């Protein structure tokens, strides 16, 4: 078993509490590490260090900041296999998904480094003679980055990469279930020589560390990826100081299949979008609306694919399609949602049960005979379960798709550009994928509406989350 350490003000430390929290392997249920149970005092030390370091960091030219991000990327690539296995072990990712996450994390740091010469302002025309109005962008200050467990490594880069290139410092709270990848990444930061205080890691309970970060007057923005409940808690804590929040929360992505769709393409994209990361992605396909004319044909193709999904310990074979859910509570939640759907009239075409007696494995599950009023259509499942609803009327299916408190991802399958264009105009979601699987690009902007969040990440708009606007009115003779 490995003892992890926090990283505060350029030093690796244990918590003042002297207490530890176990980290489990969700495939085996074995304790694989323990993390320090951080305290409010640990948070305060990290914040003080971040605040002091940020003032000097803001003066450093962005191209010099970028050099550190490139070192991070190189450090990740040098230890790529190690990080892949850490993520497989503590989160349950398959080898292919863990590889994708590690590779993309390195790419993301390189990508964020490219913004060194692209943080730009404006010159605005004045109404007064001899006056020039200058709009400039400045670092917002100290960032609190609260990470999820489903993409624990990539989200380090998504938050810290944008924050550091913008001239901010950051205090990161890794998910309690998946801290090792973050504490190991801190070693790369340390070896890169990043000035002390700019990057800090405090481990522990979200109810303690997360709320202490969000409620601190020393924080200028709190960026959270997590559940709606976590987002609500963070917003309440941040409200005391009117602190800016950036939230990526839950999703309940609808998939609409039209009668002219390429069914083979749709079937593959749908299953990839449902079982990806063991069904634990906020923009996973969560509910499937199939036109009546192609329902039988597409359901048959999907059933064949769902039945062929190979579930097991990611370390047991490289061809595993799905690993475990992340913890016992996650397994119990999915079991309860499927049982409730059956009670409400859904028919299990395949799956609908736990796999094995050890580890938190759940079978890829396809549910038919579903109706819009069922709970499984409205509540985020966060597991490999896909309910099917048949539709006939275009207006009705759009209304059904939008009948949701979430608004992150959506998708449509059609070969008619007019149909696709109407869906993109009328679907109330931050993202719409047309004839492809659900996964965003780092140069896009990953953001939701409704209860899926506020603000967003990726691309130039993601960097702007960490910038404040300053206007100078320059009067000359």
């Amino acid at each position: 078993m490995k003892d992890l350490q926090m990283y505060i003000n350029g030093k690796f430390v244990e918590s003042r509490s002297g207490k530890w929290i176990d980290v489990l392997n969700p495939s085996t249920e074995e304790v694989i590490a323990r993390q320090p149970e951080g305290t409010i005092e640990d948070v305060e030390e990290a914040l003080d260090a971040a605040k002091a370091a940020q003032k000097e960091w803001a003066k450093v030219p962005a191209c010099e900041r970028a050099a550190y991000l490139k070192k991070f990327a190189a450090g990740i690539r040098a230890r790529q296999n190690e990080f892949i296995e850490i993520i497989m072990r503590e989160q349950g990712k398959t080898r292919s998904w863990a590889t994708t996450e590690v590779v993309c994390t390195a790419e993301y740091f390189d990508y964020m480094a490219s913004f060194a010469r692209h943080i730009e302002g404006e010159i605005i025309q004045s109404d007064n003679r001899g006056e020039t109005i200058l709009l400039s962008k400045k670092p917002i200050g100290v960032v609190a980055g609260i990470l999820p467990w489903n993409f624990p490594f990539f989200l380090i880069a998504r938050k810290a990469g944008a924050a550091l290139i913008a001239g901010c410092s950051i205090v990161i709270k890794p998910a309690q279930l998946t801290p090792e990848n973050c504490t190991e990444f801190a070693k790369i930061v340390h070896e890169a020589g990043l000035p002390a205080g700019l990057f800090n890691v405090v481990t522990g309970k979200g109810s303690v560390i997360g709320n202490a970060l969000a409620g601190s007057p020393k924080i200028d923005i709190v960026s959270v990826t997590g559940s709606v409940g976590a987002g609500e808690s963070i917003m309440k804590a941040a409200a005391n100081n009117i602190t800016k929040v950036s939230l990526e929360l839950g999703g309940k992505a609808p998939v609409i299949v039209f009668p002219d769709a390429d069914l083979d393409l749709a079937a593959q994209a749908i299953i990839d979008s449902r079982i990806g990361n063991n069904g634990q992605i906020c923009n996973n396909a969560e509910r499937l609306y199939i036109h009546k004319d192609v329902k039988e044909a597409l359901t048959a193709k999907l059933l064949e694919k769902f039945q062929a999904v190979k579930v097991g310990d990611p370390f047991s074979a490289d061809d595993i399609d799905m690993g475990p859910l992340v913890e016992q509570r996650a397994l119990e939640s999915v079991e309860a949602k499927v049982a409730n759907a059956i009670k409400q009239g859904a028919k299990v075409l395949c799956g609908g049960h736990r796999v094995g007696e050890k580890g938190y494995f759940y079978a890829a599950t396809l549910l038919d005979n579903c109706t819009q009023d069922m709970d499984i259509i409205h509540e985020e499942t966060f597991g490999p379960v896909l309910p099917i609803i048949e539709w006939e009327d275009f207006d009705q299916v759009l209304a059904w798709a939008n009948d949701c408190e979430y608004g992150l991802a959506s998708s449509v399958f059609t070969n008619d550009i007019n149909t696709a264009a109407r869906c993109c105009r009328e679907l109330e979601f931050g993202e719409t994928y047309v004839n492809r699987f659900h996964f965003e690009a780092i140069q896009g902007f990953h953001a939701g509406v409704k209860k899926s969040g506020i603000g967003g990440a990726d691309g130039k708009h993601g960097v702007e989350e960490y910038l404040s606007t300053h206007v100078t009115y320059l009067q000359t003779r």
Side-chain angles (χ1 to χ4, degrees):
M1 184 174 68
K2 185 175 183 179
D3 284 349
L4 309 181
Q5 291 181 301
M6 301 189 296
Y7 187 65
I8 299 176
N9 199 20
K11 297 179 181 178
F12 292 94
V13 298
E14 296 177 2
S15 174
R16 289 174 169 83
S17 71
K19 298 179 181 179
W20 300 86
I21 300 173
D22 288 342
V23 182
L24 301 183
N25 179 333
S27 293
T28 65
E29 303 183 39
E30 296 173 343
V31 176
I32 54 174
R34 61 177 189 168
Q35 63 192 297
E37 185 175 327
T39 65
I40 293 175
E41 290 76 21
D42 294 321
V43 171
E44 288 300 314
E45 183 182 353
L47 288 175
D48 288 341
K51 197 164 187 67
Q54 193 273 326
K55 295 181 184 300
E56 291 303 314
W57 185 242
K59 301 174 185 177
V60 174
C63 59
E64 293 182 26
R65 299 178 206 149
Y68 288 102
L69 270 60
K70 292 177 182 178
K71 289 181 181 179
F72 299 166
I76 290 169
R77 293 186 179 107
R79 297 177 57 186
Q80 178 171 309
N81 290 336
E82 180 183 351
F83 279 110
I84 288 170
E85 297 204 348
I86 288 173
I87 295 168
M88 291 171 65
R89 189 168 55 247
E90 67 178 346
Q91 196 251 306
K93 268 189 174 64
T94 61
R95 185 171 294 277
S96 62
W97 271 93
T99 300
T100 296
E101 180 169 1
V102 174
V103 169
C104 285
T105 302
E107 289 179 353
Y108 201 91
F109 276 117
D110 276 337
Y111 174 65
M112 280 294 145
S114 73
F115 279 94
R117 294 183 176 89
H118 295 284
I119 297 174
E120 301 172 343
E122 302 173 23
I123 299 176
I124 301 170
Q125 293 299 312
S126 172
D127 295 339
N128 303 320
R129 290 179 180 270
E131 181 179 64
T132 302
I133 302 174
L134 305 173
L135 185 152
S136 58
K137 297 289 186 177
K138 297 183 177 181
I140 197 169
V142 179
V143 179
I146 300 177
L147 306 185
W149 50 260
N150 61 337
F151 283 93
F153 196 54
F154 176 70
L155 267 292
I156 300 171
R158 180 176 263 176
K159 297 187 189 302
L164 290 170
I165 197 65
C168 300
S169 58
I170 189 167
V171 179
I172 283 183
K173 193 275 177 201
Q176 186 175 319
L177 296 172
T178 55
E180 184 180 350
N181 67 90
C182 189
T183 59
E184 285 298 315
F185 175 75
K187 295 178 182 178
I188 290 176
V189 171
H190 192 75
E191 291 164 2
L194 185 74
L198 292 175
F199 180 90
N200 305 272
V201 178
V202 182
T203 59
K205 296 179 180 178
S207 58
V208 176
I209 308 304
N211 285 337
L213 286 170
S216 174
K218 300 170 186 175
I219 287 291
D220 297 290
I221 178 174
V222 54
S223 178
V224 181
T225 303
S227 67
V228 171
E232 290 173 349
S233 177
I234 292 299
M235 283 193 76
K236 290 175 183 176
N240 292 331
N241 297 297
I242 319 297
T243 302
K244 180 180 178 181
V245 296
S246 179
L247 310 175
E248 189 216 327
L249 308 177
K252 191 68 181 176
V255 179
I256 305 175
V257 180
F258 288 83
D260 66 327
D262 180 330
L263 298 188
D264 289 324
L265 181 152
Q268 190 60 54
I270 289 166
I271 191 167
D272 290 344
S273 301
R274 179 58 277 181
I275 70 167
N277 198 29
N278 314 335
Q280 300 170 123
I281 310 176
C282 293
N283 52 354
N284 273 132
E286 282 258 357
R287 47 200 170 112
L288 175 59
Y289 298 94
I290 310 177
H291 191 274
K292 68 178 185 64
D293 290 351
V294 292
K295 169 142 182 314
E296 183 177 350
L298 181 55
T299 300
K301 292 178 183 291
L302 285 169
L303 180 58
E304 182 179 356
K305 291 182 180 296
F306 270 66
Q307 289 174 328
V309 171
K310 188 174 181 179
V311 182
D313 185 337
F315 283 97
S316 65
D318 286 343
D319 63 345
I320 295 293
D321 298 307
M322 280 203 319
L325 299 178
V326 73
E327 62 174 336
Q328 179 68 31
R329 288 190 303 173
L331 176 62
E332 291 172 354
S333 174
V334 172
E335 288 178 323
K337 289 181 186 299
V338 172
N340 187 50
I342 294 169
K343 182 179 179 181
Q344 292 179 341
K347 177 184 178 182
V348 177
L349 297 182
C350 69
H353 56 82
R354 181 177 184 171
V355 176
E357 297 180 356
K358 197 73 170 177
Y360 312 124
F361 301 98
Y362 196 83
T365 300
L366 200 58
L367 301 177
D368 203 357
N369 293 353
C370 297
T371 57
Q372 185 65 19
D373 60 343
M374 289 181 178
D375 294 336
I376 197 77
I377 299 300
H378 295 276
E379 299 174 356
E380 186 176 31
T381 304
F382 230 58
V385 178
L386 186 62
I388 299 172
I389 292 180
E390 180 180 304
W391 68 275
E392 184 173 1
D393 180 76
F394 197 162
D395 291 334
Q396 180 67 80
V397 76
L398 285 175
W400 281 344
N402 290 331
D403 178 24
C404 182
E405 65 179 6
Y406 299 103
L408 186 57
S410 57
S411 66
V412 297
F413 290 86
T414 177
N415 285 315
D416 187 327
I417 188 63
N418 296 299
T419 297
R422 182 185 172 192
C423 288
C424 292
R425 287 194 305 269
E426 298 186 25
L427 284 170
E428 299 168 357
F429 297 83
E431 299 170 347
T432 299
Y433 302 97
V434 180
N435 296 330
R436 59 159 282 186
F437 77 112
H438 294 201
F439 210 68
E440 68 273 15
I442 63 175
Q443 67 270 35
F445 186 56
H446 187 55
V449 297
K450 302 179 184 178
K451 286 190 176 181
S452 286
I454 298 171
D458 304 337
K460 67 176 183 179
H461 299 290
V463 176
E464 288 175 359
E465 288 281 271
Y466 301 96
L467 296 168
S468 62
T469 301
H470 181 261
V471 178
T472 300
Y473 296 87
L474 181 62
Q475 183 70 56
T476 58
R477 294 176 182 175

